[in-house]
Amino acid sequence: MDSEPGELSEGDLSPVGAESFSARNLALQAQKKILSKMATKTMASMLIDETSSDILDELYSVTREYTGDKKEAHRVLKDLIKVALKIGILYRNSQFNQEEGETAEKFKKKLNQAAMTAVSFYEVEFTFDTQVLAVLLNECKDLLHRLVERHLTLKSHGRIDRVFRLYASSDFLCTLYNPRGVYRPNLQKICAGVNKLLDEGIL
């Protein structure tokens, strides 16, 4: 889709300052550009929910501090949102065949497992296992690649790799889950949001 109507160029979304970053605004901006290029009015109702927006805002803050690079943090979150929106567009337009539909179900189950594990590792002391969470996230990545193989180009596959290269890395996960680390308040908010999505059956 990178060379197709739904593609966004790297310059389509301008970086914003850390203080004014809003995952909701970024997602809506990306969505509007995709929708305008696809001329699909039925997609206009696809909005990022408030809980997911809050999670992404916290993830951006952590990413910005961890990388020490505001532009890189913006790029990773932009990649994450773009891929999610494109998959949403494909799904809502019934573009997945039967095999891809089965892969989508496997991805959903694996993502649910990863989300529950991530929350559990935060809530239960001394249970955090970097390898377990990293493996689950990388399995999600592999399923995503399979799901969009027929639909998205190498550029989007690169975006998927870039997102998981950071968030599934042992160093990032260990830093994020450090019980005495500076990201503990962010992790608490992220897990609270993930828990809410799990309770609502979104994850």
Side-chain angles (χ1 to χ4, degrees), residues 8-27:
L8 299 175
S9 69
E10 288 298 323
D12 276 334
L13 299 180
S14 302
V16 293
E19 295 74 20
S20 61
F21 179 86
S22 167
R24 178 180 293 274
N25 289 343
L26 184 60

Side-chain angles (χ1 to χ4, degrees), residues 76-132:
V76 173
L77 266 293
K78 182 174 70 173
D79 285 343
L80 175 59
I81 290 171
K82 277 185 176 182
V83 170
L85 288 176
K86 287 182 179 183
I87 291 173
I89 287 171
L90 291 168
Y91 178 78
R92 285 166 177 78
N93 282 297
S94 303
Q95 295 300 300
F96 295 131
N97 59 29
Q98 182 177 346
E99 182 179 351
E100 290 164 346
E102 293 171 357
T103 300
E105 284 302 310
K106 290 179 182 178
F107 170 73
K108 185 176 180 180
K109 289 179 181 178
K110 187 63 64 176
L111 184 61
N112 176 272
Q113 184 183 359
M116 289 193 295
T117 301
V119 171
S120 175
F121 282 165
Y122 166 75
E123 293 180 339
V124 185
E125 284 189 299
F126 310 116
T127 59
F128 174 66
D129 188 321
T130 315
Q131 187 64 21
V132 169

